[in-house]
């Protein structure tokens, strides 16, 4: 019966040690020392077998209750120590500025393109797309551009090697005007589209040129379309983009796929600030009857206009950027500003 009297003091010592364990490793050691296979408390339990039948139930009950108490103390100390281990070692300084999550942004050219598209959508234009690897037919012939036109020159155009000696060469489109033809080949009038896209020219890169850049093409075909519609549309879109102080003017020009043709000049406070009166911004005109003939539209029935302008130009003006190459260098310090 002597060991029954040992239960209580042993239990108390074990409880004190468990509660005092300073870290998880010590706690596991303490657990082993008491209720592990060779623990002191375990040894006590093993002695149960030596008791008489009458003594066993009361003693068993006592020991089991003590063991449950030890296990509960172990679990609660373990929880405390685990929580402590998960806390930062350094105290938190609540006066520090909060950490901001870095937000991604659209490239400035994408932002400007989206704005242009949004302005045209308001007046019923749909976005069309076409291949960047084009053939001479869609890029030049069908646009009424003669075979000896300098734009076809390999100094201006990137040609791709033909697969066979007599195959017609492919090229990288020099303008988005090729998509006018692709759209008209596919669908009958009326047509009201814009085409944002990448174009390629064999230019050396400098502050205002880059071998790849972006254009937006517009094409409107219907009955009784006039230059007045063209001018009104261009004016509307530029005011949407650059504000109400925008003025535009049309200057006579030559493009093989429009007749008459114009260059569009543009001015506002930003242009004046650059010390200029006008900035040339786009080409446009009334679709040439020959272009309609080529795609199978009757030029006696249908009229239309088209325009094309460079997106970089507009972005540079809008954001006051003085070197076109900045758009392509992917320098985050530059891109972050827009
Ligand atoms: N394709 C011309 C260029 O790249 C721009 C242009 C001029 C497009 C007149 C047109 C147009 O649709 O009618 O410079």
């Amino acid at each position: 019966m002597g060991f029954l009297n040992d239960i209580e003091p042993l239990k108390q010592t074990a409880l004190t040690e468990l509660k005092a364990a300073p870290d998880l490793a010590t706690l596991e050691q303490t657990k082993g020392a008491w209720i592990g296979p060779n623990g002191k408390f375990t040894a006590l339990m093993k002695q149960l077998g030596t008791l008489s039948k009458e003594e066993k139930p009361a003693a068993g009950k006592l020991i089991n209750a003590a063991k449950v108490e030890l296990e509960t103390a172990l679990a609660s100390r373990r929880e405390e120590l685990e929580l402590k281990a998960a806390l930062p070692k350094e105290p938190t300084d609540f006066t520090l500025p909060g950490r901001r999550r870095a937000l991604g942004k659209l490239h400035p050219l994408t932002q400007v393109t989206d704005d242009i598209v949004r302005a045209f959508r308001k007046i019923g234009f749909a976005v069309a797309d076409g291949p960047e690897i084009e053939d001479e037919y869609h890029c030049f012939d069908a646009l009424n551009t003669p075979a000896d036109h300098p734009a076809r020159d390999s100094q201006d155009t990137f040609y791709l090697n033909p697969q066979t000696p007599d195959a017609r060469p492919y090229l990288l489109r020099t303008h988005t005007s090729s998509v006018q033809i692709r759209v008209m080949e596919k669908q009958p009038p009326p047509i009201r589209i814009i085409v944002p896209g990448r174009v390629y020219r064999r230019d050396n890169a400098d502050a205002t040129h880059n071998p790849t850049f972006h254009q937006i093409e517009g094409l409107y075909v219907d009955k009784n379309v006039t230059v007045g519609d063209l001018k009104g549309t261009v004016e509307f879109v530029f005011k949407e983009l650059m504000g109400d102080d925008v003025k535009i003017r049309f200057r006579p020009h030559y493009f093989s796929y429009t007749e008459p043709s114009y260059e569009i000049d543009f001015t506002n406070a930003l242009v004046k600030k650059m010390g200029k009166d006008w900035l040339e911004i786009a080409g446009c005109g009334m679709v040439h009857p020959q272009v309609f003939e080529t795609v199978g539209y009757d030029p006696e029935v249908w009229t239309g206009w088209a325009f094309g302008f460079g997106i970089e130009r507009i972005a540079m003006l809008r954001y006051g950027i003085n070197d076109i190459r900045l758009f392509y260098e992917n320098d985050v310090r530059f891109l972050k500003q827009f």
Side-chain angles (χ1 to χ4, degrees), residues 113 117 120-121 124-132 173 176-187 191-198 215-220 311:
T113 307
V117 168
F120 276 105
R121 282 224 165 107
F125 280 76
V127 174
D129 198 10
E132 290 174 24
R173 68 180 180 194
T176 43
S177 304
S178 52
V179 187
Q180 289 187 30
I181 304 302
R182 294 209 168 260
V183 170
M184 288 192 282
E185 277 173 343
K186 271 220 198 86
Q187 67 183 74
I191 285 181
R192 214 189 298 191
I193 52 146
I194 48 168
V195 186
R198 194 189 297 267
Q215 287 187 329
I216 198 152
E217 191 81 13
L219 174 67
Y220 180 38
I311 294 174

Side-chain angles (χ1 to χ4, degrees), residues 230-293:
L230 171 57
K231 201 166 177 190
T233 305
V234 171
E235 204 167 272
F236 168 79
V237 168
F238 276 97
K239 283 192 168 161
E240 286 277 304
L241 283 177
M242 310 292 252
D244 276 341
D245 70 330
V246 160
K247 284 201 182 69
I248 57 160
R249 77 174 180 194
F250 279 27
R251 251 183 314 107
H253 199 72
Y254 172 79
F255 296 103
S256 57
Y257 31 98
T258 44
E259 178 58 38
S261 303
Y262 309 94
E263 266 187 339
I264 305 172
D265 292 341
F266 157 96
T267 193
N268 70 352
L270 287 172
V271 177
K272 294 270 159 63
K273 221 162 115 186
M274 290 162 61
K276 294 190 179 179
D277 286 335
W278 295 95
L279 207 69
E280 172 197 322
I281 201 100
C284 68
M286 302 303 291
V287 179
H288 197 292
Q290 182 56 52
V291 173
F292 280 151
E293 295 269 10

Side-chain angles (χ1 to χ4, degrees), residues 135-174:
D135 49 41
E136 284 192 298
Y137 177 78
H138 291 91
C139 202
F140 300 124
D141 300 83
L143 287 162
N144 203 27
T145 305
D148 58 0
H149 193 279
R152 296 195 183 208
D153 205 311
S154 63
Q155 289 193 343
D156 289 56
T157 307
F158 286 108
Y159 283 93
L160 304 171
N161 286 338
Q163 298 301 300
T164 55
D166 55 343
R168 304 198 60 176
Y170 283 97
L171 48 81
L172 298 179
R173 68 180 180 194
T174 54

Side-chain angles (χ1 to χ4, degrees), residues 46-86:
K46 283 178 188 158
Q47 289 183 45
L48 260 185
T50 67
L51 294 184
S52 70
K53 243 187 181 167
E54 292 75 34
E55 288 171 323
K56 245 188 218 168
K61 211 171 159 190
L62 209 59
I63 284 197
N64 276 328
K67 194 177 177 220
V68 167
E69 217 177 312
L70 291 183
E71 278 170 349
T72 310
L74 172 72
S76 88
R77 184 61 184 156
R78 187 181 277 144
E79 208 173 297
E80 275 170 25
L81 290 173
E82 277 172 355
L83 197 66
K84 199 171 137 197

